[in-house]
Amino acid sequence: MITEFDLTLTPFQAHSEEQYKISAAKKAGVPAENITCIRIIRKSIDARSRSIKVNLSLKIYTDESIPEPVVPSFRYQPIHGKPEILVIGAGPAGLAAALRLIELGARPVILERGKPVEERIEDIHLLEKNQSLNCDSNYCFGEGGAGTYSDGKLYTRSKKRGDNSRILELLVFHGAPESILYEAHPHIGSDRLPGVIKKIRETILACGGSIFFNTR
């Protein structure tokens, strides 16, 4: 049996599946040991009062086999020798465009004015020490875009421009935490985002795309 319902819990009750499974079983009217899988569909925090609440929308699998993983396996085909298309900038939009071009059978050639994501951090450290400013490699410019090293705030603010679930799945496929698929304000963080960006670059290069850094 598969059921869906909402729960309003305390932060302690919601902090792990072991905890919210108890509440889910009670709400569903089934023994907790009969629940084979719990999927979070949506998670948000209500901090409008002193009594903070966590709102969870759950899909409960009772006496069912464990379902397939949430994130699909993206299949990027080799595009060596295919028509080239220029992509200007290796920020979020440029990298996503390059991956989509590969799916469509074209070969992206990315021109990025800044440096690779691993090298940017050195220029940022120099900037923080007031030693030098590299106008093409800093918090704003370089592989990954402006959000990569400014707290990693690569999250979706609105759904007014269409369904963004595919982009979130793409990020999870390349190493982002699965929680961004259901959190009300998905957030990766600058501790993990550089690694995600690097894996996206590796996918593009492995398929036959090209990236030229320090290039306008």
Side-chain angles (χ1 to χ4, degrees):
M1 181 174 65
I2 302 175
T3 56
E4 294 186 20
F5 50 77
D6 299 331
L7 287 176
T8 299
L9 307 173
T10 66
F12 175 77
Q13 291 173 320
H15 89 281
S16 70
E17 182 175 322
E18 181 181 353
Q19 292 297 326
Y20 60 72
K21 186 176 183 179
I22 299 172
S23 300
K26 185 177 180 180
K27 180 76 176 281
V30 298
E33 58 268 22
N34 288 13
I35 296 178
T36 54
C37 180
I38 300 179
R39 285 273 169 82
I40 300 178
I41 302 172
R42 189 74 171 167
K43 179 180 180 181
S44 62
I45 297 175
D46 185 350
R48 292 174 293 180
S49 66
R50 290 193 175 194
S51 179
I52 297 173
K53 299 297 183 183
V54 178
N55 299 313
L56 292 178
S57 294
L58 302 175
K59 179 179 287 189
I60 310 299
Y61 296 78
T62 307
D63 297 321
E64 297 274 347
S65 58
I66 297 177
E68 294 294 320
V70 175
V71 182
S73 178
F74 289 84
R75 293 181 174 85
Y76 296 107
Q77 58 189 325
I79 36 81
H80 302 277
K82 299 293 184 178
E84 294 182 351
I85 295 181
L86 279 179
V87 177
I88 309 303
L95 294 174
L99 291 175
R100 184 62 181 142
L101 286 170
I102 291 172
E103 290 180 306
L104 295 173
R107 190 163 81 87
V109 177
I110 302 176
L111 306 184
E112 168 55 51
R113 66 184 283 182
K115 295 182 181 181
V117 70
E118 312 97 299
E119 297 179 23
R120 281 180 66 188
I121 192 63
E122 299 176 10
D123 294 317
I124 289 172
H125 286 161
L126 290 174
L127 177 61
E128 290 175 341
K129 294 176 182 178
N130 295 319
Q131 293 185 7
S132 66
L133 166 64
N134 185 327
C135 293
D136 293 324
S137 179
N138 48 59
Y139 280 112
C140 293
F141 297 110
E143 185 184 26
T148 306
Y149 284 111
S150 55
D151 192 35
K153 289 181 179 175
L154 181 59
Y155 60 78
T156 55
R157 297 174 184 269
S158 172
K159 293 186 177 180
K160 293 180 180 179
R161 298 187 180 181
D163 184 11
N164 50 46
S165 59
R166 181 176 175 81
I167 296 298
L168 297 177
E169 291 170 353
L170 181 154
L171 292 168
V172 173
F173 180 75
H174 286 93
E178 193 172 306
S179 59
I180 68 172
L181 298 177
Y182 55 76
E183 289 180 338
H185 297 285
H187 182 263
I188 296 177
S190 55
D191 56 333
R192 299 186 67 168
L193 187 52
V196 174
I197 298 300
K198 183 180 178 182
K199 287 183 179 179
I200 292 176
R201 181 213 310 159
E202 291 170 351
T203 294
I204 295 169
L205 295 177
C207 290
S210 300
I211 304 179
F212 293 92
F213 294 105
N214 301 300
T215 303
R216 295 176 181 240

